[in-house]
Amino acid sequence: MPEEYPEFRLRLPNGGPEAVGRLTRLMGTNGSQKFIVSAGSPARSEAVPSFPERMPSSHRLRERLLAEGALRQSERWPGWLETARDIECNSPSAAAEILVGRSANGWQEWKTTDGHPLVDYIEQASWGPNRSWLVRGSNVAGLDLVQRLWLPESVVSLPAKQLRQGVGQNTSKDALRTTVEEDYDSTATYHQRLTLVEELHSFLSRMRPGDTVCTISGGQLHLGEITGSAEQITSEDGRSNLRRPVDWSEHGHPYDGLPEALQQKLSVQHDVVDLTSVRDLLDGLGVSDKELIEEAEAADQDPSVEIPAIAARRDLDLPVPTDELTRELLVHDASWLREVRDLLWDERQLVLYGPPGTGKTYLAMKLAEFLGGGPEQVKLVQFHPSYSYEDFFEGFRPQEDLESREVAFRLTAGPLRELADLASREGNRHVPHFLIIDEINRANLAKVFGELYFLLEYRNKSVRLTYSGDDFALPPNLFVIGTMNTADRSIALVDAAMRRRFAFVELSPRTEPTRGLLRRWLVAEGRDSEPADLLDELNSRIHDADFHVGPSYLMKPGVYREGGLERAWRTKILPLLEEHHYGEGMDIEKRYGVTALRATLRLPVDEPGE
C-alpha cells in the first residue's frame, strides 16, 4: 500500500465543477477503505428519483448532511451544493453518490488529475473494467451463510478448509494449481481440484473493489459491491476462510421474476461464476427505463448512445404476420400464420409435418426470414440417419494445420452451437434467430440432441456440455422449426420427449392452407384449374392420408411446358404411389394415371402425338 495516495477528483455532470477528495488507510464499516470529500467540493442540488431505493444508505447520509448543513447552497457555483466541511465516507462509491445523487462506482469515477481511476491505486487490484460475479453461499456444509454471515457482516466468502495459510491476492493460477494439488490431494477428486483452482483464482485475483457481486438465498437474488481486498482467516469449520468485504443492497429481487437470460447464467453449477456477460441485466434490476434515463442524464452520458441496461432488457418479440406475407405465401387466412407465430412464441420449437410436396421447408424458411428480419438470422440443416451430436452441436474433428500440414483432432462447433453463439452476442439478444431442421425425423433424435433435449424444455437453465465442458444454455431468442415427412416415417413413431418439446402443425392436402394452395397459385399465375382438379381426384383415391400428394409437384414452371404435366405425373407422382402400394399387384397407371383421372372428371384426354 503506498505511503500517500494522490489527490482524486470527480467531475460533476453537464460540465459542472470538480469535487476533490482523498483515500485513507482507515477501514469503513463495509470493509472498504474510507474516503474523505474535501470541504468546498461541489455537489448536485437534487438526487435522481430512484436514489432512495437504489442506494438507501447513501441517500440517508446525504439527507443527514443536508439537515446538518454540511451540504449547503454554494455561493461559488450558483445552482449547486457545496460541502461545508470534510466529509468522511465508508467508501469511494459512497463519497461519489452523496455528491452526484445517484448510484456511482467511485472506484472508477474518482480519478487523478491525469485521468487514472482510483482502483488503479488499490493494492493488488487487477486491471481492466469492473466485472460481475455470482458467489454461492446458501448451502455451505449445510448452512445458509448468506443469511447467517454475508448480509449481517457485509462480506462474501469461500470455504477453503484445507488451504494452507499465506495464500494471498494475485497468486498466479499456476501457483494456485500446485498448492491445491498438494493441499487437497487426499480430500478432493481431480475434477474438484480443477474447479477449486478456477474459483480460488477468480476470488483472489480477478475480483476487485467496485465489482458487482450477487448471491441467491430464500428465492431472492441479493446484489452488492465488492469494497475491499480478500483476506484469509480461520473460520468455523472452515466454511468461510476466504473473505471479501461487500456493501450489500438492502432489498433482494425475486428469482422467479428475473430475466430468462439472467436465470440461465445463475443456473450454472459453480460456487463462483463470472456474470459479466449479463452485467447490464443486473444493473437494470428493480429500476424502470425512465429511472435509468434520469440516472444517465445525471451522469452526463451521451444522449445518442443507448443505455446498456435498457438495451440489454429490450423486449424480444416476433412480428405479427401481415396480409402481405399471407398473399405472398398463398395462405388462405392470415389468422393461420398468426397462430403458427403464436405457437412459436409460446413453445420456441415447432414441427411442420405432412405428406411430401406440401411446402413444409419452403414455408419454414419464408416464415423464419419474416419473423427474424432477414435470411441472416436463419440457418438450415438437414437430418439423415447417420447425423450425430458431433455434427449438430460440437465434437472433435480432424483438421489440418496450414503451416505444419499435420492433421489433428480439434473441437469444432456445429450449426446449432454457431447459431446459438451468434444469437447470444451483445446487441443480438432481442433479435429472433431461427434454426430450420429439415427432415427432423430421419435422425436418431435422442442421439443427435443429447443433453440439449433438456434445454429445449427448460430454456432458463444451463447444462454442462459433453465435449468442451462449458456451461451452455439455449438463448431465449433462438427458435427451432423442424419439418417432418409423414410418408417417410410416421409421426406416430416420434417419441414422447420430442412431442413434449415441440408444437406440431399439420400441412395436409385434406386441410387448409395446403388444400387450396395449388388453386390459389394457378389463379395468381393466370393458368387453368385442371392440375388442381386432377390432384384433388388423385388424393381422393389414396386412403392413407400420410401418402397424399402435395401441390408443390405441380407448382414448377416445367410442368406447364408442352407435355410437362404428364411428364411430372409419370416421373414424380406415380413412383411415390408405386412405392406405397409395393407388393400389392395394383395397376398404378390405371388407378392413378392422368388418363384415368381425366376420364373420371370428364376432362379432355390428350392423344399421343397430338
Side-chain angles (χ1 to χ4, degrees):
M1 187 175 293
E3 290 297 321
E4 186 175 345
Y5 293 105
E7 182 180 77
F8 294 102
R9 297 175 176 270
L10 177 68
R11 172 70 67 179
L12 270 64
N14 302 315
E18 280 187 331
V20 178
R22 61 185 186 275
L23 187 65
T24 76
R25 299 189 188 90
L26 300 175
M27 305 304 290
T29 57
N30 61 359
S32 170
Q33 290 176 245
K34 289 186 175 182
F35 192 92
I36 296 176
V37 179
S38 300
S41 291
R44 288 185 76 240
S45 58
E46 294 181 355
V48 297
S50 60
F51 191 49
E53 180 67 25
R54 289 261 275 175
M55 309 305 301
S57 59
S58 294
H59 168 70
R60 289 193 295 268
L61 175 57
R62 180 180 164 97
E63 290 296 301
R64 180 166 60 82
L65 294 171
L66 287 167
E68 294 173 354
L71 269 179
R72 61 190 182 191
Q73 292 296 324
S74 174
E75 296 181 0
R76 192 186 334 178
W77 299 293
W80 299 88
L81 299 178
E82 185 176 340
T83 55
R85 57 174 173 81
D86 286 356
I87 298 173
E88 186 179 78
C89 301
N90 265 335
S91 68
S93 290
E97 286 163 356
I98 65 169
L99 297 180
V100 297
R102 57 168 172 80
S103 61
N105 185 340
W107 309 92
Q108 294 287 346
E109 296 194 33
W110 287 104
K111 297 179 180 179
T112 59
T113 53
D114 54 357
H116 292 291
L118 181 151
V119 72
D120 290 352
Y121 295 86
I122 302 299
E123 184 182 16
Q124 297 179 327
S126 61
W127 293 82
N130 286 107
R131 308 185 73 83
S132 297
W133 305 91
L134 166 68
V135 184
R136 299 191 184 278
S138 61
N139 184 10
V140 180
L143 292 181
D144 186 346
L145 291 187
V146 177
Q147 303 297 332
R148 178 170 174 163
L149 174 69
W150 293 8
L151 299 182
E153 298 190 19
S154 299
V155 298
V156 65
S157 64
L158 275 187
K161 186 176 182 179
Q162 305 297 326
L163 193 66
R164 69 190 64 175
Q165 290 294 313
V167 177
Q169 288 193 143
N170 279 4
T171 302
S172 70
K173 187 181 290 187
D174 185 60
L176 275 175
R177 187 177 296 110
T178 301
T179 300
V180 168
E181 286 291 333
E182 295 174 355
D183 294 355
Y184 288 83
D185 179 52
S186 61
T187 59
T189 65
Y190 172 73
H191 182 265
Q192 288 171 333
R193 294 196 297 272
L194 288 179
T195 301
L196 185 58
V197 169
E198 295 295 329
E199 292 173 349
L200 289 174
H201 184 252
S202 294
F203 194 87
L204 292 171
S205 301
R206 298 184 65 203
M207 291 183 185
R208 66 173 184 166
D211 281 4
T212 299
V213 65
C214 66
T215 193
I216 304 167
S217 175
Q220 298 277 314
L221 179 71
H222 298 275
L223 294 174
E225 180 187 272
I226 296 175
T227 58
S229 303
E231 62 175 340
Q232 188 179 22
I233 66 169
T234 302
S235 67
E236 178 186 359
D237 295 330
R239 288 187 175 98
S240 56
N241 299 63
L242 298 176
R243 298 186 181 185
R244 277 184 178 271
V246 172
D247 186 9
W248 292 104
S249 297
E250 294 184 357
H251 305 291
H253 303 274
Y255 184 88
D256 291 342
L258 300 177
E260 188 175 51
L262 181 53
Q263 288 188 19
Q264 288 179 341
K265 297 293 289 185
L266 294 172
S267 71
V268 174
Q269 293 303 306
H270 293 296
D271 287 340
V272 180
V273 181
D274 190 341
L275 297 181
T276 305
S277 63
V278 289
R279 179 174 182 175
D280 294 335
L281 291 174
L282 289 170
D283 290 343
L285 290 179
V287 191
S288 68
D289 287 358
K290 179 181 178 183
E291 290 170 329
L292 288 169
I293 292 171
E294 289 169 343
E295 290 185 8
E297 291 173 346
D300 200 19
Q301 294 182 13
D302 186 348
S304 65
V305 177
E306 189 171 20
I307 299 169
I310 294 178
R313 66 186 184 195
R314 189 186 303 161
D315 289 338
L316 169 67
D317 194 14
L318 294 180
V320 177
T322 62
D323 292 338
E324 181 181 355
L325 179 68
T326 305
R327 290 190 295 270
E328 179 186 348
L329 298 180
L330 298 174
V331 173
H332 66 296
D333 191 343
S335 62
W336 186 88
L337 282 177
R338 290 167 189 155
E339 182 179 72
V340 174
R341 177 261 181 203
D342 292 343
L343 284 171
L344 267 173
W345 181 247
D346 293 338
E347 303 294 333
R348 311 286 179 90
Q349 294 93 224
L350 179 144
V351 168
L352 300 174
Y353 72 96
T358 48
K360 300 178 292 294
T361 303
Y362 178 83
L363 178 62
M365 293 180 63
K366 288 297 184 180
L367 188 59
E369 289 177 6
F370 173 81
L371 297 175
E376 298 83 4
Q377 281 71 250
V378 181
K379 181 181 285 288
L380 185 143
V381 298
Q382 188 174 61
F383 280 5
H384 50 77
S386 63
Y387 207 72
S388 67
Y389 174 93
E390 292 78 8
D391 299 317
F392 185 49
F393 191 71
E394 68 177 14
F396 288 97
R397 301 177 189 171
Q399 291 186 6
E400 183 181 39
D401 187 280
L402 296 179
E403 295 183 1
S404 66
R405 314 300 294 180
E406 294 180 353
V407 176
F409 282 88
R410 293 184 174 87
L411 188 63
T412 306
L416 177 56
R417 183 73 194 256
E418 290 176 344
L419 187 61
D421 290 345
L422 176 64
S424 60
R425 284 181 190 172
E426 188 175 353
N428 281 355
R429 293 172 185 163
H430 68 287
V431 179
H433 288 67
F434 288 83
L435 177 68
I436 297 175
I437 305 176
D438 201 29
E439 305 287 3
I440 191 172
N441 57 322
R442 295 191 65 212
N444 183 332
L445 297 180
K447 178 182 177 182
V448 171
F449 279 96
E451 69 273 13
L452 304 177
Y453 244 168
F454 173 82
L455 298 180
L456 291 174
E457 186 170 8
Y458 297 97
R459 286 296 190 101
N460 62 341
K461 302 292 185 182
S462 63
V463 297
R464 179 68 60 84
L465 296 175
T466 301
Y467 285 97
S468 65
D470 294 341
D471 292 284
F472 176 80
L474 285 174
N477 58 330
L478 177 58
F479 299 83
V480 180
I481 303 177
T483 69
M484 180 181 293
N485 187 342
T486 53
D488 177 64
R489 180 176 174 185
S490 173
I491 191 173
L493 298 179
V494 177
D495 64 18
M498 176 79 168
R499 289 178 179 275
R500 191 171 69 248
R501 288 162 172 80
F502 286 77
F504 284 77
V505 176
E506 184 180 21
L507 292 178
S508 169
R510 298 174 300 172
T511 59
E512 292 288 10
T514 310
R515 182 175 60 192
L517 178 60
L518 180 57
R519 290 189 185 279
R520 290 190 290 272
W521 184 82
L522 292 169
V523 170
E525 294 291 314
R527 300 187 184 278
D528 185 81
S529 64
E530 182 198 21
D533 297 332
L534 291 170
L535 187 64
D536 288 345
E537 176 62 23
L538 170 70
N539 284 325
S540 71
R541 299 185 179 196
I542 303 172
H543 301 305
D544 189 341
D546 285 342
F547 285 87
H548 282 184
V549 177
S552 65
Y553 290 104
L554 303 178
M555 295 172 64
K556 300 176 181 179
V559 174
Y560 299 94
R561 293 197 289 267
E562 183 177 355
L565 177 63
E566 290 75 13
R567 183 166 52 251
W569 210 274
R570 184 179 67 254
T571 61
K572 297 289 187 180
I573 295 176
L574 293 184
L576 287 174
L577 299 171
E578 286 176 355
E579 181 179 354
H580 174 47
H581 292 288
Y582 179 76
E584 297 179 9
M586 178 184 292
D587 188 334
I588 299 298
E589 179 70 37
K590 184 175 180 180
R591 180 175 176 82
Y592 299 122
V594 172
T595 301
L597 298 176
R598 280 175 171 159
T600 300
L601 296 171
R602 297 183 179 179
L603 296 173
V605 177
D606 293 337
E607 296 294 335
E610 289 188 3

